[in-house]
Every structure is written in C-alpha cells, then in structure tokens.
Amino acid sequence: MALSKLVKLAMTSGTKQATKKALPKTLTTKPKIRIDNPGYDEVYGETYAQTKQRYADEARQEALDAGQTVGSKAKIGSYEGITTTISDVQLDPKKLADIPGIYGEEAFRMTGDAGEGYYNKLKALQEKIQTEGYKPDPKYPIQIVVREDGQPFVFEGNHRIAEAILSKRPSVNVEIKYLREGELVPGPLNPRNIIDEDLLPAYLKPETLPKKSGGRVERNPYGDYQKLI
C-alpha cells in the first residue's frame, strides 16, 4: 500500500463502538481504544513498527553510550511509533505500584523525597487535596507508556499514584500508549489484562491477533488502520 493511501486512511478513519457489557471490577468507565498500526509499508519495505523500532534502537543506544540509565531515550529510545492508545481506563492504583517511572521515580514515589534540594511533590499534592478536596482533572490522566517488549513506564503521575495508594482510593484515571506493537506482547498492562475481553477489538483478542512476520504485524486485516473504538 502506497504511503499516500496510508495517509488518506488516517485522515478518513471511522469509528466503531465496542460491545456493551457490564464492566469488570477494575473499571468504572468504558475505556476508549485507538488503534494506529498500518502494518507493512511498501514504500519502506518493512512494517510501520519495524521502521519506528530502528529509530528507537538508535536513540536508545546513543543514550546508553552517553552513560544515561534513566529518561525517555534510555528507557524507550523514542516516543515514536504509538500503535495503540487506551484512554479513560480506571485502574486500581495498587496495580501501578511496581511500575517504574521513566526517570526512576519509583525509588522515591511513595515518599516524594527525591533528595536534598528537591521539591516534595507528593507532600504538596497531599496538602492541596487536604485544603481543596480531591478533584482529579479528567484532562490530565496518569500517563503510562508501554515499550515494544511489554515493559510499562509511568510517564506522568507518579505522585498521583502514590497519593491514591496511600489514601486507599479505589481507582485512578489512566491513559496508556503502546509503542511499536507493545500491545501484542505479554506484560502487566497488556490490554487483555486490564480490559474485559468483550470490550476489546478483534486486533487485540488472542484468537484473532494480526498475522505476524518476524515478530511484527505483516498486515492489519481490520479495515482502516486508524480508528477510535
């Protein structure tokens, strides 16, 4: 498929509503799932994920050669190649307790103490909630990125996760972006682990996963490759 046709598909993508069914206990709202994986690209002679993976590997190696061990480049290489996004998903914050932060924030997440001279964001958040009440803004969900090997990282919201755990809140609003087909491999936040199967599109169901070539999607048989489900 020519690149121009792929662009056209992206611009004219349709919508589809997931099957209505009672939500599992981990969810309090119906999640939104956006798939953006065109699969094989005749122009580049490889799949979309493979193209983005090469760029990510180069960026990650550059960071490691420079002695970096934390941060976006060291952990995920590149933020390019988002193949699935799940938003408006309500998760038990305890499910996120062991997920590392992109900058290693898990080391001080539960205390907010990043060391001498650093602002304690957790303490400030707790004080604000005590004064103004708990008012999470739906426009700013906790953001998690899942690498191509299924490993998730907290991109934004480390202290909100900690506050929710300490306050024993039943759920937090999360947005998850899967890089370079990270949604198709096992992992703690694999879509099939957090969303009722009847709410998943065919692309993400175990029995109908897309055909693969070399570990990457060879084609996307589900119509327009970019759609909101």
Side-chain angles (χ1 to χ4, degrees):
M1 184 180 288
L3 184 61
S4 60
K5 292 183 179 179
L6 294 177
V7 173
K8 184 177 180 181
L9 281 174
M11 296 176 64
T12 60
S13 58
T15 61
K16 177 182 176 182
Q17 296 297 322
T19 304
K20 292 183 179 179
K21 186 180 177 181
L23 294 169
K25 293 180 180 178
T26 53
L27 304 178
T28 55
T29 63
K30 182 177 177 180
K32 297 176 182 176
I33 304 174
R34 186 181 185 86
I35 297 169
D36 188 357
N37 187 2
Y40 187 77
D41 190 323
E42 294 178 358
V43 173
Y44 292 97
E46 60 186 358
T47 67
Y48 173 78
Q50 286 173 327
T51 301
K52 298 303 182 182
Q53 189 63 59
R54 285 192 293 103
Y55 299 149
D57 289 343
E58 291 171 4
R60 187 180 302 147
Q61 191 59 55
E62 181 180 318
L64 295 177
D65 290 345
Q68 299 176 23
T69 58
V70 297
S72 297
K73 289 184 70 174
K75 293 298 186 182
I76 62 175
S78 167
Y79 202 58
E80 294 184 13
I82 299 170
T83 45
T84 292
T85 300
I86 298 178
S87 55
D88 290 343
V89 59
Q90 304 293 321
L91 297 179
D92 182 337
K94 294 192 293 294
K95 288 181 174 289
L96 310 177
D98 296 327
I99 295 178
I102 201 76
Y103 286 97
E105 294 94 336
E106 69 277 6
F108 53 87
R109 178 184 291 152
M110 297 307 295
T111 65
D113 185 4
E116 185 177 354
Y118 285 90
Y119 180 62
N120 192 315
K121 294 182 179 180
L122 175 59
K123 183 178 179 180
L125 176 61
Q126 291 172 320
E127 291 176 348
K128 181 178 181 180
I129 291 174
Q130 186 175 11
T131 302
E132 303 178 8
Y134 183 64
K135 301 175 181 179
D137 190 336
K139 295 181 180 179
Y140 300 100
I142 290 167
Q143 296 181 32
I144 294 177
V145 60
V146 177
R147 200 168 56 194
E148 63 276 356
D149 60 355
Q151 172 63 55
F153 296 94
V154 178
F155 209 77
E156 292 285 349
N158 282 278
H159 299 104
R160 282 178 281 163
I161 292 172
E163 189 282 328
I165 293 173
L166 293 171
S167 298
K168 298 181 179 180
R169 303 195 187 283
S171 66
V172 289
N173 185 28
V174 181
E175 180 179 75
I176 308 172
K177 295 183 181 295
Y178 298 84
L179 299 175
R180 304 175 288 273
E181 299 175 4
E183 68 276 15
L184 301 179
V185 300
L189 293 184
N190 181 286
R192 296 181 295 281
N193 291 337
I194 61 174
I195 297 177
D196 186 86
E197 188 171 322
D198 286 350
L199 295 178
L200 291 172
Y203 172 79
L204 295 175
K205 289 185 177 181
E207 68 275 14
T208 54
L209 286 177
K211 183 178 179 181
K212 294 184 179 181
S213 174
R216 296 294 161 191
V217 171
E218 182 177 282
R219 62 187 179 85
N220 184 348
Y222 304 110
D224 291 354
Y225 75 86
Q226 186 181 69
K227 58 176 63 179
L228 183 65
I229 295 175

